[in-house]
Amino acid sequence: MNVGELSLRPGPELEAFVAKLFSASALAELALLAACLGGAWLVVRLIRGAAARPGSIWFGDRIVDGVLFPVLALGAALLVRWLIRDAVPVTVFRLAVPILSSLVIIRVGVRVLHVAFPTSALVRALERTLSWVVWVGLVLWLTGLLPLIVAELDQIRWTMGGTQVSVRALVEGALTAIVVLVFALWVSAAIESRLLAVEGRAADELSLRKIAANATRALLLLVGLLIALSAAGIPLGALGVLGGAIGVGIGFGLQKLAANYVSGFVILAERSLRIGDLVRVDNFEGQITDITTRYTVIRSLGGRESIVPNEMLITSRIENLSLADRNVLLNTVVQVPYGTDVEPVMARLADVVRAVPRVLADPAPSVRLTNFAADGLELTLFFWIGDPENGQANVRSEVNLAILRTLGEMGIEIPFPQRVLHLPAGAQLTRPAS
């Protein structure tokens, strides 16, 4: 059997190829292949370390689902096949190399899409589609059907703009475009991870890093799209008509979408809203966790998340509790009976509130007599906190408990509603019949 012919035309010799898989030399090849896989696993384990790297393209969530493991295994298999090509008939490695190559293609596409679009449901469908296409292509190649299908696709032709176009050329162009776009996404994901790496004082520049990452991804995708269109045989001059059509579409039907994208870049550029700020938008209060080019994600302290279009953040009134100063003023109200000497009580309460954890000493807490209520003298306690993202109700509860303990120690009862009923002379109260 001619080895070269088997590589080019595996279909006619499929039966002989399967028979050789059960020969004695195939067992030695299986042992060498297992050594290649084990060596690749060990190298990745040593490089990666014990900790998982879920956001890494090279390492993946586990050792074997990243790109580095199949790449090392493929490289080792190619090296071993080259070394033993003259010693024994190569059979197992002739099957293992295309399988590992297919695994590399799948891992690259899946990991890049997963890192570039981690929360997209469409990406999951694309990952499954890519896996099916690659494995079906491998089966067709091993069975010898792929060259026949490619030849048939090359026969299907039509004229487009004076140029002969075949289905084969379109498929090859589409595959080239996919490769270029995946590479562009890979580069943009690597640049974005570098830009968003926050250490020390660099956290204050997170918004600028975010806009740089978004602009870099958009630029790389644009360049990749242009290269992909050229590779697919589509003239770039035709994009002028397409650009005009897109402009008309934006002018009529995509105004809100375009406004949100522009607003996203404006927000990131002027830094009026930053990731980590505590804001209140349309009676929804929470912390900004992400600013994309189209929307902003605000997470409340209760765990709910609000997706706010960026245009709303530009055109509406937004309360930013963290823009210039993270300190937030809180207050609580308590009543003491009429006749109480309020001045020492006010001084004592201010000292007690100052000792509560999370209450700032500067600005210092203060107590004011704010109202002569129907049932008692109303005292309002004002105090500041510097970490509103950790909650406000909990610190207010601690302050109220401290006030309650202090009033109890001073022998002061909090008044409750009491009413005096005046009856006409001679009138008597009667109990209603049961």
Side-chain angles (χ1 to χ4, degrees):
M1 180 182 62
N2 191 309
V3 174
E5 291 181 358
L6 180 60
S7 300
L8 297 175
R9 297 182 293 100
E13 301 182 2
L14 182 60
E15 293 183 0
F17 178 71
V18 173
K20 282 197 171 187
L21 290 176
F22 298 95
S23 63
S25 61
L27 297 178
E29 289 187 73
L30 287 174
L32 291 174
L33 179 61
C36 293
L37 296 177
W41 185 92
L42 181 60
V43 171
V44 176
R45 177 66 173 77
L46 293 175
I47 296 177
R48 190 193 73 159
R53 302 185 186 181
S56 173
I57 294 176
W58 286 105
F59 299 101
D61 299 336
R62 297 176 296 277
I63 293 180
V64 297
D65 64 348
V67 175
L68 187 58
F69 172 75
V71 168
L72 291 178
L74 176 61
L78 289 173
L79 178 60
V80 171
R81 188 180 70 170
W82 180 77
L83 292 175
I84 67 173
R85 69 187 189 281
D86 297 327
V88 295
V90 179
T91 305
V92 175
F93 279 95
R94 198 176 309 282
L95 180 64
V97 167
I99 292 177
L100 290 175
S101 301
S102 302
L103 186 60
V104 169
I105 296 174
I106 293 174
R107 287 300 182 211
V108 169
V110 169
R111 292 305 306 173
V112 170
L113 290 175
H114 180 73
V115 172
F117 309 101
T119 59
S120 176
L122 180 60
V123 169
R124 304 294 183 270
L126 291 177
E127 292 174 356
R128 290 191 293 268
T129 302
L130 175 63
S131 301
W132 276 105
V133 170
V134 173
W135 290 125
V136 169
L138 175 63
V139 172
L140 293 177
W141 186 86
L142 292 175
T143 57
L145 295 177
L146 185 60
L148 299 176
I149 295 177
V150 170
E152 290 296 327
L153 293 178
D154 195 35
Q155 298 300 320
I156 305 176
R157 297 173 174 267
W158 64 89
T159 302
M160 179 183 296
T163 305
Q164 286 286 330
V165 179
S166 65
V167 175
R168 175 182 177 179
L170 293 179
V171 172
E172 292 177 349
L175 294 177
T176 305
I178 292 174
V179 171
V180 172
L181 290 178
V182 168
F183 179 75
L185 284 174
W186 191 344
V187 174
S188 67
I191 295 176
E192 183 175 356
S193 64
R194 291 283 185 178
L195 289 174
L196 297 183
V198 180
E199 296 180 3
R201 284 186 287 179
D204 297 335
E205 303 174 358
L206 185 57
S207 295
L208 293 179
R209 292 168 178 260
K210 187 68 176 180
I211 189 174
N214 290 339
T216 301
R217 171 175 290 190
L219 179 61
L220 287 175
L221 287 179
L222 177 61
V223 174
L225 179 61
L226 295 178
I227 297 176
L229 291 176
S230 299
I234 300 176
L236 297 181
L239 296 180
V241 179
L242 180 61
I246 293 176
V248 173
I250 292 177
F252 286 98
L254 303 179
Q255 297 181 43
K256 292 293 184 181
L257 184 61
N260 286 324
Y261 272 93
V262 174
S263 300
F265 281 102
V266 170
I267 291 171
L268 290 170
E270 67 182 12
R271 303 180 66 185
S272 58
L273 297 174
R274 301 161 300 186
I275 296 176
D277 284 357
L278 190 66
V279 298
R280 183 180 291 110
V281 181
D282 194 22
N283 294 326
F284 186 88
E285 182 175 325
Q287 187 177 26
I288 296 178
T289 58
D290 192 16
I291 301 177
T292 68
T293 52
R294 188 180 65 84
Y295 59 85
T296 296
V297 180
I298 302 176
R299 181 180 178 85
S300 69
L301 299 179
R304 294 178 300 152
E305 289 186 334
S306 176
I307 299 178
V308 183
N310 288 329
E311 183 188 14
M312 182 178 180
L313 301 178
I314 293 293
T315 58
S316 303
R317 175 180 175 271
I318 307 300
E319 295 183 34
N320 191 335
L321 307 181
S322 311
L323 181 58
D325 189 355
R326 296 185 61 82
N327 296 346
V328 175
L329 177 65
L330 302 179
N331 67 80
T332 187
V333 178
V334 66
Q335 288 187 1
V336 296
Y338 279 101
T340 304
D341 188 1
V342 295
E343 292 185 356
V345 174
M346 293 166 61
R348 177 74 180 278
L349 292 180
D351 293 337
V352 170
V353 173
R354 187 181 294 110
V356 174
R358 293 183 58 198
V359 174
L360 298 179
D362 185 21
S366 61
V367 184
R368 298 288 183 265
L369 177 60
T370 54
N371 190 21
F372 297 100
D375 304 307
L377 301 173
E378 187 174 277
L379 303 179
T380 303
L381 294 88
F382 299 93
F383 57 95
W384 294 80
I385 62 173
D387 53 350
E389 67 277 2
N390 292 329
Q392 301 178 16
N394 48 5
V395 67
R396 183 179 279 111
S397 174
E398 294 179 8
V399 169
N400 289 336
L401 290 173
I403 293 173
L404 188 61
R405 287 194 300 267
T406 303
L407 293 179
E409 293 172 359
M410 300 179 67
I412 299 175
E413 295 184 359
I414 298 177
F416 52 88
Q418 301 184 45
R419 298 293 179 264
V420 178
L421 183 62
H422 296 277
L423 298 176
Q428 294 183 353
L429 292 176
T430 58
R431 185 184 300 274
S434 57

